[in-house]
Amino acid sequence: MNCLSHVRIVLVGTTHPGNIGATARAMKNMGLRDLALVSPKVFPSGEATARASGADDILAGARLCHHLQEAIGDCALVVGASARLRTISWPQLDPRECAQLVSASNAKTAILFGREHSGLTNEELERCHYLLHIPCNPEFSSLNVAAAVQIVAYELFLAAREQASADFAAPALATAEEMESFYGHLERTLHDLRFLHERKAGPSVMRRLRRIFNRSKLEKKEIHLLRGILTAVQMRIRPQT
Amino acid sequence: MNCLSHVRIVLVGTTHPGNIGATARAMKNMGLRDLALVSPKVFPSGEATARASGADDILAGARLCHHLQEAIGDCALVVGASARLRTISWPQLDPRECAQLVSASNAKTAILFGREHSGLTNEELERCHYLLHIPCNPEFSSLNVAAAVQIVAYELFLAAREQASADFAAPALATAEEMESFYGHLERTLHDLRFLHERKAGPSVMRRLRRIFNRSKLEKKEIHLLRGILTAVQMRIRPQT
């Protein structure tokens, strides 16, 4: 069930050792183990250990780095948490989107959390493939760094759990190609029915039908059932035309 | 956008004032304002104010209570966070389910978080309508109390935001009655087509079709489109029979 071994949490320039300890606890609570600390002000520290509250193994295993590059050099995906919606237009994720992206891949991934008062620098953010923004009250938007890690780790845990159960139990979903064949079959049937002709609104009707079935995320077997119905309609109306 | 004014966070028997401050910050970050403290060990406290980090207004407005009853007496819905899956079988929610339940109603709601080391007592949990369990690593399942509040507040914020945008922008979803009429129409059409007869599997086919369209959460307008297609099918095949 632990599908999160490829995920590293990177704290950059943390000032308060209590936040490092609270981060370790939040990580272990959610099944994360890989912590890197870039230039923390104080580490190791009794306060970090106290706030880790049993997650000392995460602290003991943390890698201490002088430069960000040491912490992310082996990562194929780098995501940077950012409170501000920066003027630089960078691809953004919220925690749930980030968790889905990360849990769907096995690529070594670093998620960066910046300094308590100033976050990540623009230079650090430019090393990231995505910015991660936690939705919150716009009038009081500065989250504690360990609280931010807690939310992201929680979403990662949920996504990994879902991924694990999907790997075992999920019925096979239709591929994009199978969906296109289905929509083609549906459109021909509606033409045979003269349903599209009559309304002179073929593209719009088909678009609306695609929305309905795309939302439903059809399984392969369901596509067979629906196409069986379409074939039955075609068989019954063709003799007339 | 603040639809959370009916939600009160209740900390019961908190030992560390830092956790009270961190809770206030987590609440304000997510648009919550109503905090009650039942028999905190130390309050007010400089440490609470420091950790609140700008959410002092939440601390200043907090109601201090000697007994749980004072904190929940005016609430129609009471939810208690519980790390352990207790042997008493009580209705359980995870944070997302809790947030959906709470944001869909305007009933005054209290969400209770217990002592750092022992949580809520069984007697306190029995005052709750639901237990709230945060999914986490079963081998290290004790979350910091402010971290638990942070996760729940985050889910509440997302649910309230979704509710607010649904209230304004969402197209009207079909009612259960409209869905039943649609399924009745679909079943009659499949009978007319002899699709159900041939397979002798009416109930199973209809069950599978219900799964597809239920997942899709159909809008009223979409029901009209689909029933228009069914009517077109019936018009074309009835003359033959």
Side-chain angles (χ1 to χ4, degrees), chain B residues 107-121:
Chain B
K108 193 86 193 160
T109 298
I111 308 182
L112 279 47
F113 295 84
R115 297 154 193 85
E116 282 90 341
H117 286 290
S118 54
L120 296 165
T121 64

PDB file of all heavy atoms in Angstrom, chain B residues 107-121:
ATOM      1  N   ALA B 107     -27.031  24.012   9.630  1.00  0.00           N
ATOM      2  CA  ALA B 107     -27.212  23.705  11.054  1.00  0.00           C
ATOM      3  C   ALA B 107     -25.926  24.000  11.815  1.00  0.00           C
ATOM      4  O   ALA B 107     -24.832  23.689  11.351  1.00  0.00           O
ATOM      5  CB  ALA B 107     -27.584  22.239  11.214  1.00  0.00           C
ATOM      6  N   LYS B 108     -26.076  24.634  12.948  1.00  0.00           N
ATOM      7  CA  LYS B 108     -24.927  24.914  13.814  1.00  0.00           C
ATOM      8  C   LYS B 108     -24.202  23.601  14.105  1.00  0.00           C
ATOM      9  O   LYS B 108     -24.808  22.624  14.548  1.00  0.00           O
ATOM     10  CB  LYS B 108     -25.438  25.540  15.120  1.00  0.00           C
ATOM     11  CG  LYS B 108     -24.344  26.157  15.955  1.00  0.00           C
ATOM     12  CD  LYS B 108     -24.063  27.578  15.534  1.00  0.00           C
ATOM     13  CE  LYS B 108     -22.777  28.101  16.120  1.00  0.00           C
ATOM     14  NZ  LYS B 108     -22.276  29.265  15.369  1.00  0.00           N
ATOM     15  N   THR B 109     -22.915  23.585  13.834  1.00  0.00           N
ATOM     16  CA  THR B 109     -22.142  22.342  13.901  1.00  0.00           C
ATOM     17  C   THR B 109     -20.910  22.512  14.764  1.00  0.00           C
ATOM     18  O   THR B 109     -20.209  23.523  14.666  1.00  0.00           O
ATOM     19  CB  THR B 109     -21.695  21.931  12.478  1.00  0.00           C
ATOM     20  OG1 THR B 109     -22.859  21.698  11.677  1.00  0.00           O
ATOM     21  CG2 THR B 109     -20.828  20.688  12.506  1.00  0.00           C
ATOM     22  N   ALA B 110     -20.649  21.533  15.626  1.00  0.00           N
ATOM     23  CA  ALA B 110     -19.410  21.517  16.405  1.00  0.00           C
ATOM     24  C   ALA B 110     -18.568  20.331  15.969  1.00  0.00           C
ATOM     25  O   ALA B 110     -19.083  19.228  15.805  1.00  0.00           O
ATOM     26  CB  ALA B 110     -19.720  21.412  17.892  1.00  0.00           C
ATOM     27  N   ILE B 111     -17.267  20.579  15.765  1.00  0.00           N
ATOM     28  CA  ILE B 111     -16.341  19.480  15.473  1.00  0.00           C
ATOM     29  C   ILE B 111     -15.335  19.432  16.604  1.00  0.00           C
ATOM     30  O   ILE B 111     -14.629  20.413  16.875  1.00  0.00           O
ATOM     31  CB  ILE B 111     -15.655  19.660  14.113  1.00  0.00           C
ATOM     32  CG1 ILE B 111     -16.710  19.916  13.019  1.00  0.00           C
ATOM     33  CG2 ILE B 111     -14.819  18.430  13.766  1.00  0.00           C
ATOM     34  CD1 ILE B 111     -16.154  20.065  11.625  1.00  0.00           C
ATOM     35  N   LEU B 112     -15.301  18.288  17.299  1.00  0.00           N
ATOM     36  CA  LEU B 112     -14.530  18.151  18.540  1.00  0.00           C
ATOM     37  C   LEU B 112     -13.191  17.455  18.300  1.00  0.00           C
ATOM     38  O   LEU B 112     -13.131  16.429  17.610  1.00  0.00           O
ATOM     39  CB  LEU B 112     -15.321  17.282  19.540  1.00  0.00           C
ATOM     40  CG  LEU B 112     -16.442  17.913  20.357  1.00  0.00           C
ATOM     41  CD1 LEU B 112     -17.387  18.745  19.533  1.00  0.00           C
ATOM     42  CD2 LEU B 112     -17.197  16.825  21.130  1.00  0.00           C
ATOM     43  N   PHE B 113     -12.147  18.024  18.904  1.00  0.00           N
ATOM     44  CA  PHE B 113     -10.819  17.409  18.867  1.00  0.00           C
ATOM     45  C   PHE B 113     -10.335  17.246  20.301  1.00  0.00           C
ATOM     46  O   PHE B 113     -10.375  18.190  21.095  1.00  0.00           O
ATOM     47  CB  PHE B 113      -9.841  18.294  18.080  1.00  0.00           C
ATOM     48  CG  PHE B 113     -10.201  18.421  16.619  1.00  0.00           C
ATOM     49  CD1 PHE B 113     -11.138  19.367  16.207  1.00  0.00           C
ATOM     50  CD2 PHE B 113      -9.623  17.592  15.664  1.00  0.00           C
ATOM     51  CE1 PHE B 113     -11.489  19.485  14.862  1.00  0.00           C
ATOM     52  CE2 PHE B 113      -9.971  17.707  14.314  1.00  0.00           C
ATOM     53  CZ  PHE B 113     -10.906  18.655  13.914  1.00  0.00           C
ATOM     54  N   GLY B 114      -9.852  16.054  20.636  1.00  0.00           N
ATOM     55  CA  GLY B 114      -9.579  15.718  22.031  1.00  0.00           C
ATOM     56  C   GLY B 114      -8.160  16.013  22.506  1.00  0.00           C
ATOM     57  O   GLY B 114      -7.399  16.737  21.845  1.00  0.00           O
ATOM     58  N   ARG B 115      -7.842  15.447  23.640  1.00  0.00           N
ATOM     59  CA  ARG B 115      -6.556  15.659  24.293  1.00  0.00           C
ATOM     60  C   ARG B 115      -5.399  15.089  23.473  1.00  0.00           C
ATOM     61  O   ARG B 115      -5.574  14.083  22.780  1.00  0.00           O
ATOM     62  CB  ARG B 115      -6.584  14.963  25.661  1.00  0.00           C
ATOM     63  CG  ARG B 115      -7.621  15.542  26.590  1.00  0.00           C
ATOM     64  CD  ARG B 115      -8.111  14.558  27.639  1.00  0.00           C
ATOM     65  NE  ARG B 115      -9.318  15.107  28.275  1.00  0.00           N
ATOM     66  CZ  ARG B 115     -10.553  14.958  27.773  1.00  0.00           C
ATOM     67  NH1 ARG B 115     -10.742  14.248  26.657  1.00  0.00           N
ATOM     68  NH2 ARG B 115     -11.585  15.507  28.363  1.00  0.00           N
ATOM     69  N   GLU B 116      -4.222  15.714  23.606  1.00  0.00           N
ATOM     70  CA  GLU B 116      -3.055  15.288  22.836  1.00  0.00           C
ATOM     71  C   GLU B 116      -2.759  13.798  23.023  1.00  0.00           C
ATOM     72  O   GLU B 116      -2.422  13.107  22.068  1.00  0.00           O
ATOM     73  CB  GLU B 116      -1.802  16.086  23.230  1.00  0.00           C
ATOM     74  CG  GLU B 116      -1.752  17.473  22.627  1.00  0.00           C
ATOM     75  CD  GLU B 116      -2.407  18.532  23.512  1.00  0.00           C
ATOM     76  OE1 GLU B 116      -3.199  18.141  24.392  1.00  0.00           O
ATOM     77  OE2 GLU B 116      -2.124  19.727  23.332  1.00  0.00           O
ATOM     78  N   HIS B 117      -2.856  13.315  24.266  1.00  0.00           N
ATOM     79  CA  HIS B 117      -2.409  11.935  24.489  1.00  0.00           C
ATOM     80  C   HIS B 117      -3.529  10.913  24.500  1.00  0.00           C
ATOM     81  O   HIS B 117      -3.300   9.741  24.239  1.00  0.00           O
ATOM     82  CB  HIS B 117      -1.582  11.838  25.781  1.00  0.00           C
ATOM     83  CG  HIS B 117      -0.228  12.422  25.579  1.00  0.00           C
ATOM     84  ND1 HIS B 117       0.728  11.815  24.789  1.00  0.00           N
ATOM     85  CD2 HIS B 117       0.320  13.588  26.004  1.00  0.00           C
ATOM     86  CE1 HIS B 117       1.813  12.575  24.767  1.00  0.00           C
ATOM     87  NE2 HIS B 117       1.586  13.664  25.483  1.00  0.00           N
ATOM     88  N   SER B 118      -4.743  11.361  24.773  1.00  0.00           N
ATOM     89  CA  SER B 118      -5.798  10.356  24.943  1.00  0.00           C
ATOM     90  C   SER B 118      -7.066  10.666  24.137  1.00  0.00           C
ATOM     91  O   SER B 118      -8.033   9.906  24.209  1.00  0.00           O
ATOM     92  CB  SER B 118      -6.149  10.231  26.429  1.00  0.00           C
ATOM     93  OG  SER B 118      -6.481  11.516  26.953  1.00  0.00           O
ATOM     94  N   GLY B 119      -7.059  11.749  23.368  1.00  0.00           N
ATOM     95  CA  GLY B 119      -8.221  12.033  22.521  1.00  0.00           C
ATOM     96  C   GLY B 119      -9.460  12.385  23.323  1.00  0.00           C
ATOM     97  O   GLY B 119      -9.386  12.997  24.389  1.00  0.00           O
ATOM     98  N   LEU B 120     -10.609  12.004  22.799  1.00  0.00           N
ATOM     99  CA  LEU B 120     -11.879  12.227  23.478  1.00  0.00           C
ATOM    100  C   LEU B 120     -12.219  10.973  24.287  1.00  0.00           C
ATOM    101  O   LEU B 120     -11.888   9.854  23.884  1.00  0.00           O
ATOM    102  CB  LEU B 120     -12.983  12.497  22.449  1.00  0.00           C
ATOM    103  CG  LEU B 120     -12.810  13.770  21.612  1.00  0.00           C
ATOM    104  CD1 LEU B 120     -13.746  13.754  20.390  1.00  0.00           C
ATOM    105  CD2 LEU B 120     -13.076  15.031  22.454  1.00  0.00           C
ATOM    106  N   THR B 121     -12.871  11.154  25.408  1.00  0.00           N
ATOM    107  CA  THR B 121     -13.312   9.999  26.192  1.00  0.00           C
ATOM    108  C   THR B 121     -14.513   9.354  25.502  1.00  0.00           C
ATOM    109  O   THR B 121     -15.181   9.972  24.667  1.00  0.00           O
ATOM    110  CB  THR B 121     -13.746  10.419  27.607  1.00  0.00           C
ATOM    111  OG1 THR B 121     -14.898  11.277  27.485  1.00  0.00           O
ATOM    112  CG2 THR B 121     -12.645  11.178  28.326  1.00  0.00           C
TER     113      THR B 121
END
